[in-house]
Amino acid sequence: MKDFRQPHPAKFTDPFVTANGDDRASVALTHPETLWFNTGTLCNIECANCYIESSPSNDALVYLTPDDVNGYLDQLDAREWRVREIAFTGGEPFMNPQMNTLIEAALTRGYDVLVLTNAMRPMMRPSVKSGLVQLNAAYPGKITFRISVDHWSPELHDKERGKGAFEKTELGMIWLRDTGIRMTVAGRSVWAESESEARDGYGAFYARHDFAIDPRDPAQTVLFPEMDETVDVPEITSGCWDILNKHPDSVMCASSRMVVKRKGAAQPSVLACTLLPYAPEFELGTTLQEAERSVQLNHRHCAKFCVLGGASCSS
């Protein structure tokens, strides 16, 4: 894994106390809405700055199987979490050869399904497309694909994802449009432009292709802040909620958990956060029951991305 520099070693070390000696903020699982499955870290491309280090060779998180997914869906019923959404991420989910079966497992139980994908070659294999057409026809309006479009211009998108990546994603989005599968977009807010300029750019891109995506709706065009672990950020104390006029229930770990399977592990694990797959302190156990405990906000991403950035990975 990457060897990140630590600008302030005293920060984010004690799970219960900040560097200044204040009580660290925590978040309870108060309203489960989304259960995430990381289908594996393998990806068809290697981005310049991928928070999970996905690549064609990184199998640190191995493919989940239908038995894995169905086991946790059974636990959802047993624990009465009443989530509305099952979400799949990677890596590139469609690298997993059983991805359509995983989607179907969630749909047959009545859940909405969210899939994060780059909409490139793994999704565009004929057998995958055929299966998606059938699933969309059988469960209309229940599937949403969130497409990774790092920037609305091919030049900057390809700077992150490699030459020709934008065009391949564009073709995948056109196919999804014609198939009638609902799309949203995940972009990045790291470029030298205002949010308004970015949303104008995405709007023009959508208009060129008649994509039914609202560039102004933050749930349909999500602009994520950069997750740079070398940047100094403040720690979140229990007193910050009142200062920020924010409630712990608004933070992502109040409403979601993520299932992963580590290479060599006998069974999957449940994590507190989709953004911290390699941080052992955010691994809560192997069952949903174990994962019902509160989460200490003891990481830079907790502060910058979730509490201060207000970002959420769910739809």
Side-chain angles (χ1 to χ4, degrees):
M1 302 308 163
K2 295 178 182 176
D3 181 17
F4 291 109
R5 293 182 292 111
Q6 302 293 321
H8 293 276
K11 285 187 173 183
F12 303 105
T13 53
D14 188 309
F16 298 100
V17 181
T18 68
N20 291 333
D22 297 315
D23 290 338
R24 186 178 303 285
S26 64
V27 173
L29 182 70
T30 54
H31 55 291
E33 295 179 354
T34 303
L35 181 62
W36 287 85
F37 290 95
N38 187 302
T39 63
T41 40
L42 286 174
C43 187
N44 56 301
I45 58 175
E46 185 169 3
C47 296
N49 189 13
C50 177
Y51 78 97
I52 201 170
E53 303 171 42
S54 298
S55 76
S57 61
N58 180 11
D59 61 350
L61 303 181
V62 298
Y63 291 150
L64 289 177
T65 68
D67 285 345
D68 294 329
V69 170
N70 278 308
Y72 284 97
L73 297 181
D74 289 342
Q75 290 183 49
L76 283 179
D77 294 338
R79 301 304 300 170
E80 297 184 340
W81 277 24
R82 304 186 189 283
V83 307
R84 61 176 177 82
E85 175 185 64
I86 301 299
F88 297 97
T89 184
E92 166 52 46
F94 288 103
M95 293 287 285
N96 187 318
Q98 296 179 293
M99 187 61 216
N100 281 357
T101 304
L102 304 186
I103 294 172
E104 186 175 19
L107 290 171
T108 57
R109 300 196 189 211
Y111 294 108
D112 292 338
V113 168
L114 174 66
V115 182
L116 276 56
T117 177
N118 57 37
M120 295 173 72
R121 185 168 297 169
M123 188 197 77
M124 294 293 280
R125 299 194 304 272
S127 60
V128 173
K129 292 197 295 182
S130 175
L132 291 175
V133 169
Q134 293 176 39
L135 288 172
N136 191 55
Y139 302 94
K142 297 291 285 183
I143 308 171
T144 300
F145 278 28
R146 180 182 289 166
I147 315 301
S148 299
V149 183
D150 287 327
H151 194 262
W152 48 266
S153 72
E155 294 77 18
L156 290 180
H157 177 88
D158 287 1
K159 184 177 180 180
E160 174 67 25
R161 293 183 175 255
K163 186 176 180 181
F166 187 91
E167 182 180 5
K168 293 173 185 176
T169 292
E170 192 174 36
L171 290 173
M173 293 178 72
I174 291 169
W175 180 82
L176 289 167
R177 177 203 65 193
D178 294 344
T179 305
I181 295 176
R182 181 174 182 265
M183 288 186 290
T184 61
V185 157
R188 296 192 180 205
S189 59
V190 299
W191 314 105
E193 61 187 1
S194 67
E195 180 176 340
S196 179
E197 290 170 332
R199 294 191 181 279
D200 285 345
Y202 280 106
F205 168 56
Y206 303 156
R208 285 198 301 273
H209 298 292
D210 198 25
F211 293 149
I213 307 171
D214 185 348
R216 298 292 167 185
D217 183 347
Q220 294 191 45
T221 303
V222 191
L223 299 180
F224 288 117
E226 192 60 81
M227 291 178 287
D228 185 349
E229 295 196 26
T230 68
V231 174
D232 185 31
V233 296
E235 295 179 285
I236 304 300
T237 71
S238 57
C240 286
W241 303 119
D242 290 336
I243 295 171
L244 297 170
N245 193 27
K246 198 176 182 76
H247 196 277
D249 285 356
S250 66
V251 181
M252 188 165 58
C253 48
S255 61
S256 68
R257 293 289 186 265
M258 183 171 75
V259 176
V260 306
K261 190 169 186 180
R262 304 191 188 284
K263 187 175 183 179
Q267 55 189 321
S269 301
V270 186
L271 309 186
C273 180
T274 62
L275 307 176
L276 298 168
Y278 304 129
E281 66 270 31
F282 289 89
E283 186 164 323
L284 304 177
T286 60
T287 68
L288 296 188
Q289 182 176 4
E290 292 172 294
E292 289 172 353
R293 60 188 172 93
S294 296
V295 177
Q296 299 299 123
L297 301 187
N298 190 28
H299 197 280
R300 287 172 173 78
H301 292 350
C302 302
K304 183 179 179 182
F305 191 87
C306 293
V307 177
L308 302 176
S312 174
C313 290
S314 298
S315 64

